[in-house]
Amino acid sequence: MPLEIITVPCLSDNYAYLAHDAATEATAVIDVPEATPILNALRARGWRASHILITHHHDDHIAGVEALAAATGARVIGAAADAHRLPPLDDEVTEGDVIRIGMDEGHVLAVPGHTSGHIAFHFPASNVAFTADSLMSAGCGRLFEGTPGQMWESLSKLMALPADTLICSGHEYTASNIRFALSVDPDNPALLARAARVTAARALGAATVPVPLSEELATNPFLRAKDAADFARLRALKDRF
Ligand code: ZN
Ligand code: FE
């Protein structure tokens, strides 16, 4: 049975995710912008957090980690490279490490660019990847600590996952990302159709994530870049948009 994925809105525009294995009752929480909405989402389903997976050190992804860990006893897992600036970790991981959530296995991918220590978690059997601020819905994270070449390499790694992988990113930025995408790719029919769907979803206050990788490949301007140099050009345009 694949993991059941729940999207939990936090703060003003962040998302945390629950990944629940029904067979063993294990539940991973991916990023903890704040503890309360996550504890409420767990309680509503009668679930207990067994693991906390941290994607990167920014405060809007970790501020609630210690409170959630204290309330649930969950094991806290994050990048070894960022251990000095993450909440206390029970497990320090690097690319290639495997995290077992119940019956499922998550593979750690290094995806630097937004931050130097950013990691993603790919669960092949459940067809889901938690990418936070690396690959984002219709966009990618700003390059705070990495070069365009590093981010291009990170995105290329994610682009190589199976096309039906569900991409769980860290923010509700889709509408503004699509405005930029339309400015550089105005005649893309897949993008125009997605723009209409996103406008309708946002009008209802609905989340626009997660998104299948296939949709990102068809519409995300950063994944449609020709090469690293083209990616760098697009990223610089977006920073000024
Ligand atoms: Zn961030
Ligand atoms: Fe963020």
Side-chain angles (χ1 to χ4, degrees), residues 14 56 58 60-61 114 132-133 136 170-171 173:
N14 277 79
H56 68 295
H58 284 159
D60 63 312
H61 296 255
H114 177 66
D133 298 357
M136 305 187 80
H171 289 268
Y173 289 167

Side-chain angles (χ1 to χ4, degrees), residues 139-221:
C140 74
R142 227 171 234 278
L143 305 181
F144 288 117
E145 297 180 354
T147 63
Q150 266 177 329
M151 182 59 111
W152 176 247
E153 198 178 310
S154 297
L155 294 178
S156 300
K157 221 180 263 185
L158 297 168
M159 280 188 258
L161 298 178
D164 59 350
T165 304
L166 204 59
I167 301 296
C168 297
S169 58
H171 289 268
E172 183 56 61
Y173 289 167
T174 314
S176 66
N177 284 343
I178 282 188
R179 280 194 291 279
F180 170 73
L182 285 168
S183 75
V184 294
D185 194 12
D187 303 319
N188 177 346
L191 177 59
L192 291 164
R194 185 177 181 187
R197 286 197 303 279
V198 165
T199 301
R202 293 311 293 153
L204 300 171
T208 61
V209 301
V211 182
L213 178 60
S214 55
E215 188 164 338
E216 292 300 332
L217 291 168
T219 58
N220 186 321

Side-chain angles (χ1 to χ4, degrees), residues 69-152:
T72 61
R75 281 190 86 75
V76 181
I77 299 165
D82 272 346
H84 63 286
R85 55 182 180 176
L86 291 174
L89 300 176
D90 295 303
D91 295 306
E92 299 183 6
V93 295
T94 54
E95 177 154 275
D97 283 346
V98 173
I99 296 157
R100 193 172 296 276
I101 306 295
M103 305 299 280
D104 213 338
E105 286 185 345
H107 297 239
V108 176
L109 301 173
V111 287
H114 177 66
T115 67
S116 58
H118 200 307
I119 55 177
F121 304 95
H122 175 224
F123 290 82
S126 294
N127 259 336
V128 62
F130 299 94
T131 60
D133 298 357
S134 59
L135 171 55
M136 305 187 80
S137 175
C140 74
R142 227 171 234 278
L143 305 181
F144 288 117
E145 297 180 354
T147 63
Q150 266 177 329
M151 182 59 111
W152 176 247

